[in-house]
C-alpha cells in the first residue's frame, strides 16, 4: 500500500495547521482511529509528521472546549431524562439523555456509581436548568438514591430494557427445552 502512495507523481497538498487539527479530530472522533492510525494517514496522504503527544494534546484541548460548551447548555427544555450507567473498560460512566432530542446532557466517567456520585452530577445538571417532569432508569440503587438526594420525590419510572433482556433469556431457554422435548418425542414415535 505504501508503495502505491510513493508512485504518485503529484506533490503532497499544502494544508494549514487548523485544517490538520480538524482532520485529526475527524479521524479520532468520527472514524474512531487510533493515534497511530492518524500518524500513518497524515504521513502517507500529506507527508506530515506528528507525534502521539501532539495528537493527544490536540484531542485533549478539543475535549476541554467541548466540555465548556456542554456546561453552558440550557437544559430547561428537557422534559424526560433517561439515566443509566455504562462502562468504558472497568470505569463506570454516568449517562443522561433527553428522551425527545437524544441530546446527551450527562456523560461523566467516575470512580463510583453510588448515591453521592449520582446526586452531585444531577445537581450539576440542575444548575444548567435540568428539571425534568420525570426520569426513566433501571433499578440501580446508586442511581435511584442519587436522584432522590438531588431532586426529592421526582418520579423515576423503570426502564423495560433489562426486563425485556431477562425475559428474552428465559424465552430462549424455554424454546431450547421445547425443541429438546419435541426431538425426544419424535425419537420415541
Amino acid at each position: 500500500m505504501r508503495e502505491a502512495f510513493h508512485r504518485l507523481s503529484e506533490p503532497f497538498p499544502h494544508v494549514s495547521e487548523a485544517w490538520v487539527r480538524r482532520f485529526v479530530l475527524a479521524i479520532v472522533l468520527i472514524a474512531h482511529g487510533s493515534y497511530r492510525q492518524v500518524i500513518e494517514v497524515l504521513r502517507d496522504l500529506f507527508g506530515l509528521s506528528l507525534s502521539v503527544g501532539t495528537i493527544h494534546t490536540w484531542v485533549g484541548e478539543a475535549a476541554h472546549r467541548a466540555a465548556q460548551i456542554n456546561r453552558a447548555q440550557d437544559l430547561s427544555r428537557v422534559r424526560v431524562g433517561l439515566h443509566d450507567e455504562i462502562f468504558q473498560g472497568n470505569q463506570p460512566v454516568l449517562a443522561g439523555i433527553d428522551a425527545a432530542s437524544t441530546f446527551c446532557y450527562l456523560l461523566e466517567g467516575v470512580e463510583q456509581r453510588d448515591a453521592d456520585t449520582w446526586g452531585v452530577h444531577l445537581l450539576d445538571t440542575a444548575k444548567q436548568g435540568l428539571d425534568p417532569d420525570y426520569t426513566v432508569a433501571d433499578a440501580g440503587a446508586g442511581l435511584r438514591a442519587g436522584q432522590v438526594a438531588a431532586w426529592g420525590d421526582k418520579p423515576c419510572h423503570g426502564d423495560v430494557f433489562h426486563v425485556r433482556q431477562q425475559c428474552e433469556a428465559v424465552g430462549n431457554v424455554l424454546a431450547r427445552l421445547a425443541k429438546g422435548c419435541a426431538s425426544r418425542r419424535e425419537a420415541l414415535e
Side-chain angles (χ1 to χ4, degrees):
M1 177 76 105
R2 192 169 288 138
E3 190 176 306
F5 283 114
H6 289 296
R7 282 194 225 149
L8 296 174
S9 60
E10 296 178 21
F12 290 116
H14 296 286
V15 291
S16 68
E17 181 181 325
W19 187 93
V20 173
R21 283 177 178 253
R22 285 192 301 271
F23 188 78
V24 165
L25 292 175
I27 293 175
V28 171
L29 300 175
I30 298 169
H32 307 286
S34 70
Y35 292 176
R36 301 271 182 216
Q37 290 168 327
V38 170
I39 290 169
E40 190 173 339
V41 168
L42 289 173
R43 181 194 63 228
D44 291 346
L45 295 181
F46 302 101
L48 298 174
S49 176
L50 286 182
S51 70
V52 170
T54 297
I55 295 167
H56 179 75
T57 298
W58 288 357
V59 170
E61 290 169 356
H64 180 73
R65 285 191 308 273
Q68 289 175 323
I69 292 167
N70 287 343
R71 282 191 295 272
Q73 296 301 304
D74 175 13
L75 302 179
S76 64
R77 294 177 25 181
V78 175
R79 302 292 19 115
V80 178
L82 309 175
H83 296 159
D84 204 354
E85 297 153 353
I86 59 176
F87 290 86
Q88 173 64 38
N90 291 333
Q91 182 184 20
V93 178
L94 309 184
I97 309 291
D98 173 19
S101 70
T102 68
F103 175 74
C104 180
Y105 56 78
L106 174 62
L107 194 62
E108 191 70 42
V110 295
E111 294 297 318
Q112 301 178 49
R113 49 197 178 113
D114 59 3
D116 291 340
T117 304
W118 267 105
V120 164
H121 289 288
L122 291 176
L123 287 172
D124 286 344
T125 60
K127 291 176 187 173
Q128 291 178 248
L130 184 66
D131 184 22
D133 298 332
Y134 63 92
T135 62
V136 178
D138 63 15
L143 188 162
R144 294 289 182 124
Q147 179 169 318
V148 169
W151 294 334
D153 61 356
K154 185 167 299 288
C156 181
H157 303 294
D159 70 4
V160 295
F161 170 78
H162 294 93
V163 173
R164 180 177 175 265
Q165 187 179 39
Q166 291 169 349
C167 289
E168 190 174 293
V170 170
N172 290 338
V173 169
L174 293 174
R176 283 194 302 275
L177 289 173
K179 187 174 181 179
C181 289
S183 296
R184 284 192 295 278
R185 181 185 51 83
E186 290 173 9
L188 291 173
E189 293 175 345

